[in-house]
Amino acid sequence: MVHLGRILSRATAKPYRTSHLESDESLYLNENGHVDFKDGDIENPHNWSAARRWYVTICSVLLVVNATFASSSISGCFGSVSEEFGLSEEAAGLTITLFLLGYCAGPLIFAPLSEFYGRRWIFYSTFLLYLAFNFLCAFAPNFGSLLVGRFLTGTFVSAPLSNGPGVLADLWGPVERGNAMAVFSCMVWVGPALGPIVGGFLQLTKDWRWSFYVLLWLGGVTALFMFTIPETFGPMILVSRARRIRKAKIPGYENVKAPVEEGDRSLVGIYKVALTRPWIILFDTISFLCAVYMSVVYTLLYMLFSIYPIVFQQTRGWNAGVGELPLIGTTIGACIGAIIVIFDSKHKSKKIAAGTQLKPEDRLTLAIIGGVGFPITMFWFAWTAEYSWIHWAVPTVAGVFLATSLMLIFVGYLNYLVDSYLMYAASAIAVNTVCRSACGAAAPLFTNYMFEALGIGGGGSLIGGIATLLALIPFAFYKYGERIRIRSKFAPTKPTNPDDEEAQRKQNEEKTAAPRTDLPPRVSSSSSTVIGEGG
């Protein structure tokens, strides 16, 4: 009989060698007769080597860096855009506005598609389209073409932003995921801060088109790594395994299916949930207040790219390149925030290991710290930036801790949403992403007018005042969150360890799953591959 192991094994971007596949006596099926992962299954992403999982994580983060860097890179070249097309700088800000509006497509369009076709094919297709439309931006003959290109590039590059956390969940267990998520979240803040710095220096020596040449070079290098990303979505790996078995027409296994193939896997069914449930959850108390807070945080992030030029270029007379360098402080602040997140994750992991039962409200520690730090650092930044005789390092250092505070708020509330809504977390995060992206899109349109009218100190104080009011939200959730969740239709209220949901599900599957011994032998249980007799 022909050796079929290599034929049925995955052919591309495979995280193992076919020679490493095991050859057991029977195919592993669960109690329902579905193809499933067995304990230690080499095709299960959770069982890949740590080095392989970190490599895939870094590749996914590189895609995110492209998305976030591209969002703000042209902000350092607004002057050049205005000069070439005869526009105001506020009109040039539409290039960021439309890009961020494109972000709204990610959780509503590409996240559901990844459940249907898998993660990597969505990455491949959307990122290549992102690169293609960046050519339109780089060689735009008029401002309208540039705006269309920016909206389409923002739309297609939103896929890594919305599917990136899903990849981390595919690869890492609840306890291990903290470090990977800290790196991912850090890049969400570092990317936008680096964009204006590069753009500012390009403004001095070249023109705005060079910002897109840089994006194309960065994207080209990233694409080489992207094509090495294997499929990480467990249900789709099982679907692929079941299809390979059916295609081989193995006696007794002609109709074997993966678990998800038994449900409604039509695009209509997937989108019916993806486009309706998030908006219902939005008006749930916890989801709504988190959306409001994170929208303010995200809006301020993109306001900073207009505020810093006002502070360091208009007030202090620095040029377009050097005037963006203080934004490096915000990248340092984001990295500090990531370090704090990692230590917090380790601290909570020790509690879990000790048997402590954690409630979703226990995730609010980071948000409380960030919530207190947000108004303090905002007032610090605003009133030290107001006067040019104060050394430039003082507002720059304030920006460091402001970025740290915003990062902690961002991560703290994302964790709280996940642990509060559990099986509905994807919908809660999806609508949260849409809301904060839409609000961030408005930032370039009003920031200059706001600070011209109120001044740096006054404008910053307005933001600080709003931040002071919002700082009450995490304290309120910490004290009354469980009572609020009792009234929610979507948030479970049983005070069990949120991080154990995945582990408990896996344990239940292992308890109920058993190998089927009543079916033909000589089928590999780890890879669903047939090994020919005598082969």
Side-chain angles (χ1 to χ4, degrees):
M1 185 175 178
V2 179
H3 189 287
L4 299 178
R6 189 172 298 277
I7 296 175
L8 294 179
S9 176
R10 281 188 284 164
T12 59
K14 190 169 52 182
Y16 54 82
R17 294 182 181 274
T18 302
S19 59
H20 292 169
L21 297 172
E22 298 176 11
S23 176
D24 294 343
E25 293 301 320
S26 61
L27 171 67
Y28 187 81
L29 303 178
N30 62 26
E31 66 173 2
N32 297 318
H34 295 146
V35 174
D36 213 337
F37 292 127
K38 71 167 188 175
D39 187 28
D41 196 321
I42 196 174
E43 283 195 288
N44 186 344
H46 284 270
N47 294 325
W48 298 349
S49 68
R52 168 56 103 166
R53 285 182 288 161
W54 270 113
Y55 174 79
V56 176
T57 297
I58 292 172
C59 289
S60 301
V61 168
L62 272 177
L63 293 173
V64 172
V65 170
N66 277 263
T68 55
F69 182 83
S71 68
S72 63
S73 62
I74 196 173
S75 67
C77 302
F78 280 169
S80 178
V81 174
S82 302
E83 182 179 350
E84 177 165 340
F85 295 116
L87 305 164
S88 67
E89 290 201 8
E90 286 71 29
L94 286 171
T95 54
I96 292 182
T97 296
L98 289 176
F99 189 93
L100 292 179
L101 288 178
Y103 272 7
C104 298
L108 299 180
I109 297 177
F110 299 121
L113 280 178
S114 73
E115 297 179 7
F116 195 81
Y117 294 108
R119 312 282 192 209
R120 69 185 181 111
W121 291 113
I122 300 302
F123 282 157
Y124 295 174
S125 58
T126 57
F127 196 74
L128 290 178
L129 286 169
Y130 158 75
L131 288 177
F133 283 106
N134 259 325
F135 279 100
L136 172 60
C137 295
F139 301 101
N142 52 57
F143 189 58
S145 300
L146 177 59
L147 293 182
V148 170
R150 286 292 285 174
F151 177 74
L152 291 175
T153 51
T155 298
F156 290 118
V157 85
S158 66
L161 281 174
S162 58
N163 293 346
V167 171
L168 301 188
D170 296 339
L171 296 172
W172 304 97
V175 175
E176 302 167 305
R177 197 180 305 145
N179 294 345
M181 188 58 73
V183 174
F184 177 89
S185 300
C186 183
M187 290 303 105
V188 172
W189 296 92
V190 170
L194 292 179
I197 297 173
V198 175
F201 281 102
L202 290 174
Q203 166 90 353
L204 291 176
T205 58
K206 303 292 183 180
D207 61 22
W208 63 270
R209 296 182 189 273
W210 277 84
S211 67
F212 291 102
Y213 300 157
V214 171
L215 292 179
L216 288 169
W217 295 334
L218 177 62
V221 172
T222 302
L224 298 177
F225 292 96
M226 175 190 69
F227 284 116
T228 66
I229 297 177
E231 182 56 62
T232 63
F233 189 43
M236 278 306 301
I237 293 175
L238 293 175
V239 168
S240 178
R241 176 187 286 186
R243 287 173 179 169
R244 296 197 303 269
I245 296 170
R246 293 197 297 267
K247 185 177 181 179
K249 297 181 180 179
I250 304 170
Y253 294 94
E254 295 89 344
N255 299 315
V256 72
K257 294 182 178 180
V260 296
E261 291 181 294
E262 290 291 344
D264 180 8
R265 277 192 52 76
S266 67
L267 279 176
V268 174
I270 291 175
Y271 275 110
K272 184 178 180 181
V273 174
L275 296 178
T276 57
R277 183 187 289 161
W279 302 106
I280 297 172
I281 291 180
L282 172 62
F283 295 100
D284 197 60
T285 304
I286 292 175
S287 177
F288 181 77
L289 291 177
C290 287
V292 170
Y293 204 158
M294 294 180 71
S295 293
V296 171
V297 167
Y298 212 67
T299 301
L300 176 59
L301 172 64
Y302 283 90
M303 288 177 70
L304 291 177
F305 307 137
S306 296
I307 296 173
Y308 269 67
I310 294 173
V311 172
F312 295 102
Q313 295 177 37
Q314 295 181 18
T315 303
R316 297 173 186 264
W318 296 6
N319 64 41
V322 177
E324 301 286 2
L325 286 178
L327 281 170
I328 293 176
T330 63
T331 68
I332 296 173
C335 293
I336 293 173
I339 293 172
I340 295 174
V341 171
I342 290 172
F343 278 105
D344 180 73
S345 177
K346 289 182 178 179
H347 175 67
K348 286 184 169 57
S349 296
K350 290 179 180 179
K351 284 189 173 183
I352 294 170
T356 303
Q357 299 294 315
L358 298 182
K359 298 186 296 183
E361 286 69 34
D362 293 320
R363 293 293 192 182
L364 289 169
T365 308
L366 296 176
I368 289 174
I369 296 172
V372 172
F374 182 6
I376 294 174
T377 52
M378 191 67 236
F379 285 118
W380 174 9
F381 174 82
W383 288 105
T384 55
E386 171 75 13
Y387 306 104
S388 59
W389 52 266
I390 297 178
H391 196 276
W392 61 268
V394 180
T396 300
V397 172
V400 171
F401 293 105
L402 175 61
T404 300
S405 300
L406 298 182
M407 170 80 170
L408 295 179
I409 293 170
F410 184 79
V411 175
Y413 275 117
L414 280 184
N415 287 335
Y416 185 54
L417 283 173
V418 170
D419 289 350
S420 293
Y421 290 98
L422 292 180
M423 67 287 293
Y424 302 116
S427 295
I429 291 177
V431 74
N432 185 280
T433 301
V434 171
C435 290
R436 70 173 187 260
S437 296
C439 290
L445 304 180
F446 68 82
T447 305
N448 284 336
Y449 293 118
M450 173 178 164
F451 279 80
E452 284 177 7
L454 300 177
I456 299 172
S461 294
L462 176 60
I463 298 172
I466 295 172
T468 301
L469 296 176
L470 293 177
L472 299 175
I473 294 178
F475 289 97
F477 279 161
Y478 192 83
K479 185 173 183 179
Y480 302 109
E482 189 168 357
R483 300 182 197 176
I484 295 173
R485 286 186 289 112
I486 290 175
R487 300 185 180 91
S488 172
K489 297 179 181 179
F490 301 98
T493 55
K494 186 177 180 180
T496 56
N497 186 340
D499 276 340
D500 282 347
E501 184 203 19
E502 184 175 323
Q504 290 170 358
R505 185 176 68 247
K506 183 176 179 181
Q507 287 178 356
N508 291 336
E509 290 174 353
E510 290 176 353
K511 288 178 182 178
T512 57
R516 294 280 295 275
T517 58
D518 57 326
L519 296 173
R522 305 303 293 157
V523 181
S524 168
S525 66
S526 65
S527 66
S528 300
T529 58
V530 177
I531 308 300
E533 293 182 6

